[in-house]
Structures are given as structure tokens and as C-alpha cells.
């Protein structure tokens, strides 16, 4: 039968959760500090062989300064892709080269802010060299985002089609870009790519590293430029289904170490630092959307209506993504019923689950939607005038802090003139 590799847990039992709900009404996202720290340590451990390793946490996954700060305490930096994310990083105390700006179609004010903060700027296009120079001035350190196009697909169909993606520079442009930047006085260089998304297999990450390491060696041979760092991007997946296996970080780390020794060291590039910019694998399994059942409706199907909706978690509606659901206090009850679990948007795809086998649900039950810590609250929106929920953080000492209050109708009306 289906082996359980990734059991789904929640840090509070039913009576503890009831107490929390008395103080913080549902819906809310709850994050667990201990799990986030553990996720970061596992990633750092996988690259402990590298002379220098930095994880730039992808702020867009969980854009909250409290989360950025707790990761920064353990040594993580940030990966920012907008002005707001640069400000979140700054407010969390993460500045200078601990920030990597990896944006695209980048507006001038974002480059200016990145320069002001001393961030590493990672350009998405060769034309951005001049745009950056004109609008914010040339930094001494510059990185470029490489789009490996079809090299990735040769004999390998696990990765999508980078050639179809809007991101990054072509292979030819990469060489031209380093030359151009050097002529403009840049003297420290990095290389970046980001090709995987929610990938749990080891092979993809090794293939990415191999392509990047070979390119770094070629850049040295052809241009005499020794890169200071290689950022392998994010895209480390998490098992959303209990039957899925997590990323084998140990195997990924050891595999990349072998490639480093095989490709970079013989090229005289034994000092290149390694960076990643993981979001999902840091916070994804450390968050839960907690919601109360307000309706049960039996028509052609059986529907459970929650007090939350797609505005609080868009992934199921947007990608058909699976999010595991449990019912607080009924964790071990038999799965006797089949439901569609819905929100209240006037959109038929506003469903957290379709035809899901669950225990019998009663009105007032508290549902826990798992693995909402990354790209969950962050993707929220206000369609139908729905408001985004609060975010709570369970500290390692057991305290629960509200790290973002729920939106109010006053917030909603604040931008309207009439
Ligand atoms: C979204 C994104 C990430 C983080 O992706 P995860 O899947 O959350 O690891 C990292 N880098 C860039 C450039 C991104 O756009």
C-alpha cells in the first residue's frame, strides 16, 4: 500500500489550540520557529564542506520580518525580488551582501535601494547593466542569472523548459555581460541560476550544479574572471503528501561536493563560495492554515465551508496543489466521509480539497491545512473584498506571538476615494 514517508503533524493538541483560538480568532496561519530553524540547519549542514556557504532565504515565500529575523539569527541572508522585500530585509536587520537582489523587469527604485543597502545585485538581463549604471551607479560586485535553456533538457525531462522561461541571460550573453561589466569597473563577480521548483529529486540539483560549475570554469578560461560565488537558486521541494519523500539534503550536498572537487578545484577555482536561495524548504512545512468549519452543505456533493478562502491560501486553486487536511482532535478518527472543502469566494475553484476522504466533520470543528508556511499567506489577495488573515509564530519557548494582524475592513477601504 501507500507508504507514509512524511507524517503530517501539528504542534498543538486540540485543547491547546482551543485556548489559542480564544485569543486569536480563526482563520490564521501558524508558523513553528523550531521547525524553521531545523530546516535551515539541515540545508547548512549539507553544504558544511564548502569554504563558504550562504543561504539567502527567499523572502517572497514568507514575507514577514519576524521570520527573516529568526533565520538571520542562525546566519541566513535574504533573496529579495522587490522593493518591499528589500525593506523587509532591512527591517529584519539583514543588510549588505547578506542580501541578494534577484528580480526581473526591475524598476530603477529597486536598484537604487539595493545599492543603498549594499546588496549583491543579480542581473536578469544584459541590458540591465546600462540601466543599473544610469539609475543607480555601477557596484563593485555583480552577479548574473543564467538561463541554461535546452542544455537542461538534454536527456533529462525532470526540469521544465528553461528556454520558455522569461528569466536570465543566454549562454552567449553571459560571456558578453561579464566582459561589459568588467569594462565598467566591476571587479567581483557571481553567477546565479534558478531552474527547479518544488523539486524533491537529487538529480536535478546535481545537474544544475554541474552546469554552473562547468560554466564557471569556462568563464575563467575564456575571460580570466574568477567568480567569487555561485548561487544555485532555490526550488528545493517539500512532501505535500504524506506518501512523498522529502529532499535528501545529505545526498544533494555530497553530490555537489563531488562535482565541486571534480570541476572547480582542477580549474583553480577552489575558493568559490556556494549560495542557495531556498524559500519553500525553509518555511513550507513549518506553517499551517487554521480555520473553523462554518457550514456543511449537501447537494450533488458534500461541501464543508470554512471561514477562510483562497485569499488565505491560493495554491490548491491556482495549481491544483495538494495540501493535507486534518481535523483538530480527530487526528486518529477513521476517514469515513468524502468532502469538498471550500472557501467563500464566488469562484468555483475556491476549494482547499476536492473529493477528500476525511473523518466525519461537524460545524465548529477546527480544520488544519498543512504545509502553508511558504507561498501561502504571501500570495493572498483581496478579491471579493476578502481580507488576509493574521500570522502567528509559535516560539521555541512555547509562546505564541502575532507577527501580523489580520486585515480589517478599514484597511480595505483605506485606498478608496469616493
Ligand atoms: C521563488 C524564488 C525562489 C524560492 O523558491 P522556492 O521554491 O521557495 O525555494 C528563489 N529564487 C528565485 C529567483 C525565486 O524566484
Amino acid at each position: 500500500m501507500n507508504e507514509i514517508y512524511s507524517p503530517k503533524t501539528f504542534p498543538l493538541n486540540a485543547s491547546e489550540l482551543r485556548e489559542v483560538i480564544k485569543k486569536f480568532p480563526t482563520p490564521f496561519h501558524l508558523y513553528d520557529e523550531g521547525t524553521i530553524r531545523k530546516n535551515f540547519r539541515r540545508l547548512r549542514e549539507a553544504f558544511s564542506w564548502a569554504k563558504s556557504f550562504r543561504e539567502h532565504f527567499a523572502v517572497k515565500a514568507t514575507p514577514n520580518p519576524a521570520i527573516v529575523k529568526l533565520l538571520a539569527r542562525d546566519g541566513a541572508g535574504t533573496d529579495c525580488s522587490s522593493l518591499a522585500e528589500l525593506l523587509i530585509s532591512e527591517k529584519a536587520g539583514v543588510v549588505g551582501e547578506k542580501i541578494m537582489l534577484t528580480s526581473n523587469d526591475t524598476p530603477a527604485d529597486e536598484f537604487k535601494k539595493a545599492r543603498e543597502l549594499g546588496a549583491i545585485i543579480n542581473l536578469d538581463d544584459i541590458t540591465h547593466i546600462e540601466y543599473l549604471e544610469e539609475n543607480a551607479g555601477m557596484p563593485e560586485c555583480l552577479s548574473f542569472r543564467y538561463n541554461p535553456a535546452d542544455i537542461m533538457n538534454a536527456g533529462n525531462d525532470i526540469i521544465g523548459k528553461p528556454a520558455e522561461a522569461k528569466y536570465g541571460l543566454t549562454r552567449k550573453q553571459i560571456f558578453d555581460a561579464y566582459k561589459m561589466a568588467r569594462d565598467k569597473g566591476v571587479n567581483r563577480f557571481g553567477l546565479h541560476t534558478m531552474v527547479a521548483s518544488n523539486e524533491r529529486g537529487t538529480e536535478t540539483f546535481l545537474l544544475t550544479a554541474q552546469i554552473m560549475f562547468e560554466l564557471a570554469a569556462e568563464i575563467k578560461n575564456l575571460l580570466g574572471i574568477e567568480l567569487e560565488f555561485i548561487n544555485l537558486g532555490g526550488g528545493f521541494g517539500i512532501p505535500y503528501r504524506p506518501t512523498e519523500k522529502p529532499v535528501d539534503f545529505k545526498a544533494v550536498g555530497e553530490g555537489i561536493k563531488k562535482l565541486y572537487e571534480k570541476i572547480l578545484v582542477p580549474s583553480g577555482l577552489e575558493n568559490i563560495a556556494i549560495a542557495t536561495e531556498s524559500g519553500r524548504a525553509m518555511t513550507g512545512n513549518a506553517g499551517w492554515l487554521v480555520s473553523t468549519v462554518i457550514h456543511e452543505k449537501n447537494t450533488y456533493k458534500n461541501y464543508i465551508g470554512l471561514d477562510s478562502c483562497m485569499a488565505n491560501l491560493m495554491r490548491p486553486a491556482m495549481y491544483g496543489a495538494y495540501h493535507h487536511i486534518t481535523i483538530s482532535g480527530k487526528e486518529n478518527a477513521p476517514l469515513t466521509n468524502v468532502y469538498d472543502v471550500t472557501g467563500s469566494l464566488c469562484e468555483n475553484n475556491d476549494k482547499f480539497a476536492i473529493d477528500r476522504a476525511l473523518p466525519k466533520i461537524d460545524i465548529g470543528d477546527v480544520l488544519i491545512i498543512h504545509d502553508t508556511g511558504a507561498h501561502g499567506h504571501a500570495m493572498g489577495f483581496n478579491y471579493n473584498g476578502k481580507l488576509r488573515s493574521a500570522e502567528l509564530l509559535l516560539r521555541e519557548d512555547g509562546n505564541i506571538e502575532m507577527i501580523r494582524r489580520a486585515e480589517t475592513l478599514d484597511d480595505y477601504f483605506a485606498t478608496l476615494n469616493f
Side-chain angles (χ1 to χ4, degrees), residues 314-378:
M314 186 143 69
R315 299 188 70 261
M318 187 153 151
Y319 309 119
Y322 180 93
H323 279 264
H324 199 68
I325 296 177
T326 53
I327 302 154
S328 182
K330 297 184 180 175
E331 288 80 3
N332 300 313
L335 310 179
T336 50
N337 292 52
V338 173
Y339 298 108
D340 280 14
V341 179
T342 77
S344 53
L345 282 195
C346 297
E347 282 290 339
N348 192 43
N349 66 350
D350 183 19
K351 293 175 181 172
F352 294 109
I354 296 172
D355 297 330
R356 183 72 59 88
L358 288 164
K360 180 179 179 329
I361 293 176
D362 298 297
I363 290 177
D365 275 353
V366 177
L367 259 62
I368 294 160
I369 304 179
H370 293 250
D371 302 310
T372 68
H375 314 295
H377 187 287

Side-chain angles (χ1 to χ4, degrees), residues 103-175:
S103 53
N104 67 93
D105 188 19
T106 310
D109 58 354
E110 213 171 289
F111 280 137
K112 284 196 196 107
K113 185 67 190 177
R115 291 278 283 127
E116 180 196 315
L117 291 173
I120 296 172
I121 294 176
N122 183 36
L123 295 184
D124 184 65
D125 190 51
I126 192 162
T127 64
H128 291 189
I129 300 173
E130 280 180 353
Y131 185 83
L132 170 66
E133 185 177 35
E134 277 164 27
N135 290 287
M138 261 341 218
E140 58 144 352
C141 176
L142 205 52
S143 174
F144 294 102
R145 178 172 186 163
Y146 175 48
N147 183 327
D150 299 327
I151 307 175
M152 295 302 274
N153 298 85
N156 183 304
D157 56 13
I158 34 182
I159 290 171
K161 286 197 161 49
E164 303 279 319
K166 67 172 177 172
Y167 308 111
L169 286 75
T170 68
R171 199 177 152 73
K172 175 170 185 317
Q173 287 172 341
I174 279 284
F175 292 96

Side-chain angles (χ1 to χ4, degrees), residues 58 60-61 79 102 145 192 194 197-198 234-236 277-280 375:
K60 79 168 192 276
D79 157 43
T102 296
R145 178 172 186 163
H192 167 275
M194 163 87 189
S197 178
N198 194 25
F236 295 107
E277 47 184 32
S278 173
R280 194 187 314 267
H375 314 295

